[in-house]
Amino acid sequence: MHDDAGLQALREAARLSPDNLPLRQHLAGQLLAKGYLAEAEAEYRAALVLAPKNADITAGLAEAFVRQSAFGAALAALEPLLASPGYPPRLGVLAARALFGEGDTARAGYRYHEAVSRDPSVADADLAARLSAPPAPLYATAPPAAAAPADETSTEVEHSGLTFADVAGMDTVKEALRVKLLLPIQQPELFAAYGKRAGGGVLLYGPPGAGKTHLARAAAGELGASFVNVGLADILDMYIGSSERNLRATFELARRNRPCVLFFDEVDALAARRSDMRQAHTRQVVNQFLAELDGVDQNANEGVLVLAATNAPWYVDVAFRRPGRLDQPVFVPPPDAAARAAILRILCRNKPLAEMDFDAVARVTDQFVGADLKGLVDRAVEVKLQQSISAGRPIPLSTPDLLAAAKSVRPTAVREWMATARNYVMHANDSGAWDELMPWVKGKW
Ligand code: ADP
């Protein structure tokens, strides 16, 4: 109680002086010490914006990540500092803990011993003991033979009527998906000639509502493949403890319906939820997911294309991005004015329309993503429907209707998303993973 009152006072003080670095750092340290990990993470991140590359803050942030089992994120935070020779040895130990958490015992051992040889006081007896233990198996053991029938998952198979023609704008993204997913299947000889084979998954990332799910569904239709849409958070929540079985069943469902696009939404949930799940169990789910992605044998996933989506790519474990897994990140950007006009045109298709000036609506919907535009059109249609019922005849939708609706709908989180992305691009991009975002985060949002 007393502790929390002290914390509360610190929080309040930090809120009143957001630029007071020592205060924020102190608050973050207290939060970390008391186990408020997510909040500590947020505080350290805010502090890092004030003092980029500060070793103490980076160490705090990395520890908050490690203790939430967000090992990839911890490594991403540490990377900029680890790159310079003579980095503080305790950062090396933190990196070792993260690498060990990822199952990369060899690199963890290297980092650990390098750090301790420079400063023996940073030694971590527990980690040292675990590093010298015989290696744990890379993957969780196969589920018991009496595993539940594959149909146990409530996931359904869809046959998407959508194609890329239903996805407005995003020409670069569509082209990237064509090359990565469609061409290898449509022209296997050409790919084989260059020693490349179809396979591996694509990680779609971008602000919420920008059209990742829509795009995945359209890719399935474009390919004439079935579509299985899985919310990973659902899989994890459904029956804690049966998550591995649910995952297995989902992959089996996709394999029985090949060619199939298997779409995992919120793939970061695997990392983000680790904090509130028993760690050993979570590790097993992650391992199971990776094992299924890799396929039990080489042909297990033939005809199964895995697309995953996330609004928070920085939380996705680097283990997921290794070759053959979700090794191809594709940024799904917020639409520009021309794309917004095209999305509006698609959303208004098959509705009674007056002559429309979609460009005019696009001009007043800066920062709207696809989902926001859908909300806008739905609202305008509702109003029109009411008017038509009163008038007793259909009144076509017009440009002023959309302009009026635009005034009453607020865009969702693009600006906040870009601010977060900017942090990662500026401060945790030494591996170049977020290069594609650079021109975007430099724009005005
Ligand atoms: P995300 O998965 O990125 O959160 P969604 O794919 O769910 O976003 O997008 C929400 C809705 O917005 C879609 O159902 C679709 O109606 C519309 N939408 C988004 N992007 C486009 C687009 N490029 N073209 C047409 N409609 C789009």
Side-chain angles (χ1 to χ4, degrees), residues 166-170 206-215 217 263 265 309 311 332 335 339 342-344 346-347 369-374:
D166 300 289
V167 181
M170 295 202 213
K212 298 180 286 298
T213 312
H214 187 65
L215 187 67
R217 203 170 252 123
F263 177 66
D265 205 357
N311 305 329
V332 178
I343 293 175
L344 286 165
I346 287 183
L347 290 169
V369 289
D372 300 326
L373 294 172
K374 186 165 189 311

Side-chain angles (χ1 to χ4, degrees), residues 252-304:
E252 286 303 327
L253 182 70
R255 288 175 190 133
R256 283 202 309 271
N257 287 280
R258 56 185 117 208
C260 181
V261 169
L262 178 53
F263 177 66
F264 287 98
D265 205 357
E266 311 167 86
V267 76
D268 50 285
L270 272 180
R273 295 298 173 93
R274 287 174 174 198
S275 52
D276 47 63
M277 290 174 84
R278 277 173 302 126
Q279 193 180 332
H281 173 250
T282 313
R283 181 95 222 127
Q284 239 173 330
V285 180
V286 171
N287 283 344
Q288 173 76 33
F289 184 73
L290 296 178
E292 294 292 347
L293 264 187
D294 291 345
V296 193
D297 64 66
Q298 223 198 342
N299 299 324
N301 288 341
E302 208 171 295
V304 176

Side-chain angles (χ1 to χ4, degrees), residues 18-29:
D19 293 333
N20 183 334
L21 184 63
L23 180 64
R24 295 205 86 141
Q25 237 180 302
H26 182 57
L27 170 61

